[in-house]
Amino acid sequence: MTSTICVNILNRRRKMGPKKALKHRLSNDTEREFGGTLGAVCIPVFLPLTVLFLICVSQSPEASVLQWPPCLPSADQLWDPLAPILLLGWIGLHVLLYLLPLGKVSDGLALRDGSRLKYPINGFHGLCISAVLLSVLLGLGAPLGYLFELLVPLAVSAIAVSFLSSVYLYVRSFWAPSHALALGGDTGNPLYDFFIGRELNPRIGNFDLKYFCELRPGLIGWGVINLGMLMKEAELRGSPSLSMILVNCFQLLYVADALWNEEAVLTTMDIVHDGFGFMLVFGDLAWVPFTYGLQASFLVVHPQSLSLLTAAAIVALNGAGYYIFRKSNSQKNQFRRDPTHPSVSGLETIATATGKRLLVSGWWGFVRHPNYLGDLLMALAWSLPCGFSHLLPYFYVVYFTVLLVHREARDERQCRAKYGLAWDAYCRRVPYRIFPYIY
Ligand code: NDP
């Protein structure tokens, strides 16, 4: 009986075609991502409050995430007219830098209608020009350390910009042709679609809104906030601590690496698969810049001393994580762009029914997500300079583990749907997902 029902459902889905079938499947709330409608309602309330809570905790003397009542900013701490001016000025600067005719222009992966979008690869130029402008401002005596006081109002402004942009993106998606909508973002449920994102690659002319937000204002802004925390510490104690320097250098390396390898973002899930809605806008503009660098604001109020030996061990851990992360991401990116390239042509692969092949040796034969493993080792190295007295500096590594385990499961589901038996064969060949012999 059950199998007859299943066969009927399968036949119905085959008749519908892939787009309709996915829409049909997604109309069932249990199959939607991030907890379906409930998640789409709760997450946009809960995460912005979490950002404000975490900033507040990091700046409080107790720095206790478990304290009751929870540490939240008072009403007068939420607003400073300077914050929206700085934020909008910063976003405006990066719009200009994006439009500068610097660097090469790359093709994205083929879209459902067979076309390819063009993307300017000039994010690293944007980082360098921002660094020069910042040095000039510092030379002129700009009080960058004031960012410490301005963190909460800046975060409030970024949250407001995220909500407003998401409303704009949702409304404009109704003018997009159906082939331009994300497969998972067009369920017909307004709350869920607003959250997950309807349109895959919203553009104003040639200006790609998702690609712009992915690596520029938020990611580079994170580096600037960290520098502001370093300046604040120097103001308070005469010079920045070794812990603060390590946190700044590690995270700046991560930001610079992402921008140096900007082209690789064109093959990631965010660009290829996910619509552009609240989830990504908020993540890019508010979550990343204001929670990924909490260690730095924590260190301003809670100085830590670090021996040279401990510092060397932490640097080695970050270096190992970075090596795994970079090598594995580059290997897959190279393989997807040109499987005949000498650096990947000798690797063992298995064929799939789609015509694409899967790597089963090299980094991708070690675990199924070596890039996540490297990223997590780095995340741990960013927290260790803050010592073991508080939980807060470990927020990022705990959150990131949950995020990547969940992301891995999403990716696995999508790959199984895409590659079927070939994916199962890959999983048998490479049994561990992220951590060898553990998970
Ligand atoms: P990945 O770069 O891991 O890409 C997953 C895709 O790779 C799959 O969908 C599949 O796509 C392809 N793939 C999987 N296995 C193989 C294989 N064996 N051979 C060839 N191709 C394979 O996805 P993410 O976008 O999740 O991650 C990119 C990087 O960004 C990671 O390093 C991650 O750690 C990092 N990241 C960082 C975040 C942060 O907040 N700091 C957040 C999210 C990610 P297909 O076959 O269609 O090409």
Side-chain angles (χ1 to χ4, degrees), residues 254 267-270 288 292 325 329 332 335-336 356-359 364 368-369 371-372 375 396 399-400 403-404 407 411 415 418-419 423 426:
Y254 192 75
T267 59
T268 60
M269 275 163 73
D270 289 4
V288 168
Y292 280 25
F325 163 86
N329 273 323
K332 187 200 32 124
F335 181 69
R336 278 287 172 252
K356 274 185 176 180
R357 303 185 75 84
L358 289 168
L359 289 165
W364 297 79
R368 298 209 291 271
H369 265 97
N371 49 353
Y372 290 1
D375 225 336
Y396 176 70
Y399 145 80
F400 203 44
L403 176 120
L404 289 184
R407 197 173 168 93
D411 190 45
C415 286
K418 263 187 290 188
Y419 301 127
W423 186 258
Y426 174 52

Side-chain angles (χ1 to χ4, degrees), residues 329-388:
N329 273 323
S330 299
Q331 190 171 71
K332 187 200 32 124
N333 193 38
Q334 185 61 60
F335 181 69
R336 278 287 172 252
R337 290 203 161 264
D338 177 13
T340 61
H341 191 273
S343 65
V344 289
S345 59
L347 293 171
E348 200 185 335
T349 60
I350 46 177
T352 74
T354 65
K356 274 185 176 180
R357 303 185 75 84
L358 289 168
L359 289 165
V360 285
S361 68
W363 286 104
W364 297 79
F366 175 51
V367 284
R368 298 209 291 271
H369 265 97
N371 49 353
Y372 290 1
L373 173 66
D375 225 336
L376 287 169
L377 292 179
M378 282 191 282
L380 180 61
W382 301 353
S383 302
L384 290 173
C386 300
F388 297 105

